[in-house]
């Protein structure tokens, strides 16, 4: 069992970095279209256990991913970071905020929620785990339509093809680990409520997101005392579907974090 985690650096180094945490079942490459729009921002992208270049993990739970990430950042001398996660990445950002609140210089929650799974959602995850363990292939591919907004599906065939390519490369070990881990994550509303108000925050919801509701976003925004940023023309994978729009929001969050008093 390895606890190493792959972190990729982009742009000129500056502290604190913007740490981007990817969605399920993609990897850190999902941020590639956005990086070019983040001029002047020191960006770190991370691969979850079993995805991209991170080895699989035996220990189940987003908490061990969060722990590995905090340790990997500390090993690079990073004690403050602006964390931004999309969907599963948001769940992990909240787990980091719970474990290491002093690390959080800013928090971006994109297309995600703070609540735990419902029982039916948990059952769907475990059905996927069982199918993967029985050797079924290409299960991630079937998720493409749900991940993308209707506008993207209708007008951006190159984005649809790119996402399908990434989904086709997701390894079963990573898929199984992530589904088990997400199924057992707790509600983390209290983590948001405890975050000091001086910490800049962004809650972004895709107007065509079929997986996260505007109520999910509103609940987080209320706890963080910020408005919901509604990203137009995009679905669940907002940062892939309209990288310029999402990068502008993240760059603004980053600049606010640079100016904010350290808590
Ligand atoms: C994701 O995009 O990361 C997933 O939709 C999260 C989930 O399955 O809850």
């Amino acid at each position: 069992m390895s606890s190493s985690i792959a972190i990729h650096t982009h742009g000129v180094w500056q502290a604190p970095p913007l740490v981007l945490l990817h969605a399920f079942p993609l990897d850190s490459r999902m941020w590639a279209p956005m990086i070019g729009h983040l001029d002047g921002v020191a960006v770190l992208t991370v691969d979850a256990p079993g995805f991209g270049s991170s080895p699989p993990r035996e220990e189940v739970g987003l908490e061990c991913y969060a722990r590995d990430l905090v340790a990997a950042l500390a090993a690079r001398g990073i004690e403050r970071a602006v964390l931004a996660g999309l969907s599963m990445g948001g769940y992990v950002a909240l787990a980091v905020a719970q474990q290491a609140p002093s690390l959080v210089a800013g928090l971006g929650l994109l297309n995600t929620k703070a609540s735990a799974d419902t029982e039916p959602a948990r059952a769907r995850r475990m059905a996927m785990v069982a199918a993967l363990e029985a050797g079924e292939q290409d299960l991630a591919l079937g998720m493409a339509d749900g991940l993308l907004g209707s506008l993207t599906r209708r007008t951006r065939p190159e984005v649809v093809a790119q996402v399908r390519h990434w989904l086709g490369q997701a390894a079963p070990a990573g898929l199984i680990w992530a589904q088990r881990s997400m199924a057992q994550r707790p509600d983390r509303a209290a983590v948001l409520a405890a975050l000091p108000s001086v910490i800049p925050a962004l809650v972004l919801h895709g107007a065509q997101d079929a997986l996260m509701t505007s109520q999910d976003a509103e609940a987080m925004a209320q706890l963080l005392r910020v408005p919901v940023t509604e990203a137009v023309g995009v679905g669940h994978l907002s940062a892939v579907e309209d990288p310029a729009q999402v990068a502008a929001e993240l760059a603004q969050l980053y600049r606010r974090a640079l100016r904010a008093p350290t808590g």
Side-chain angles (χ1 to χ4, degrees), residues 22-25 86-89 91 113 117 125 143 147 179 182 185 211-212 236-237:
H22 66 81
F24 172 86
L86 195 147
S87 200
M88 178 178 79
Y91 307 159
K113 60 185 166 197
D117 273 0
R125 292 194 197 282
M143 297 177 63
L147 292 172
Q179 288 290 45
M182 288 191 285
R185 76 187 193 285
L211 304 182
M212 301 291 166
H236 188 60
L237 290 185

Side-chain angles (χ1 to χ4, degrees), residues 232-259:
V232 294
V234 296
H236 188 60
L237 290 185
S238 58
V240 177
E241 296 178 59
D242 190 344
Q245 185 181 183
V246 177
E249 297 297 338
L250 286 173
Q252 198 177 53
L253 173 73
Y254 183 73
R255 285 194 297 271
R256 281 164 52 212
L258 291 185
R259 289 195 304 265

Side-chain angles (χ1 to χ4, degrees), residues 18 52 61 69-70 111 114 129 177 180 185 192-193 216 219-220 233 239 251:
L18 172 64
L69 177 58
V70 172
N111 309 82
V129 167
W177 176 86
R180 285 193 193 285
R185 76 187 193 285
L192 293 180
D216 292 327
M220 294 189 297

Side-chain angles (χ1 to χ4, degrees), residues 80 102 104-106 196-200 255-263:
R80 302 270 293 162
S102 63
V104 184
S197 56
V198 290
I199 305 295
R255 285 194 297 271
R256 281 164 52 212
L258 291 185
R259 289 195 304 265
T262 46

Side-chain angles (χ1 to χ4, degrees), residues 26 59 61 107 124-125 128 168 175 181 227 230 241 253-254 263:
L26 294 101
E59 184 182 346
L107 185 62
R124 281 193 297 276
R125 292 194 197 282
M128 184 171 180
L175 297 173
S181 297
E230 188 82 352
E241 296 178 59
L253 173 73
Y254 183 73

Side-chain angles (χ1 to χ4, degrees), residues 210-236:
L211 304 182
M212 301 291 166
T213 65
S214 49
Q215 288 86 351
D216 292 327
E218 196 51 55
M220 294 189 297
Q222 270 181 21
L223 290 165
L224 288 166
R225 302 164 293 271
V226 297
V228 173
T229 298
E230 188 82 352
V232 294
V234 296
H236 188 60

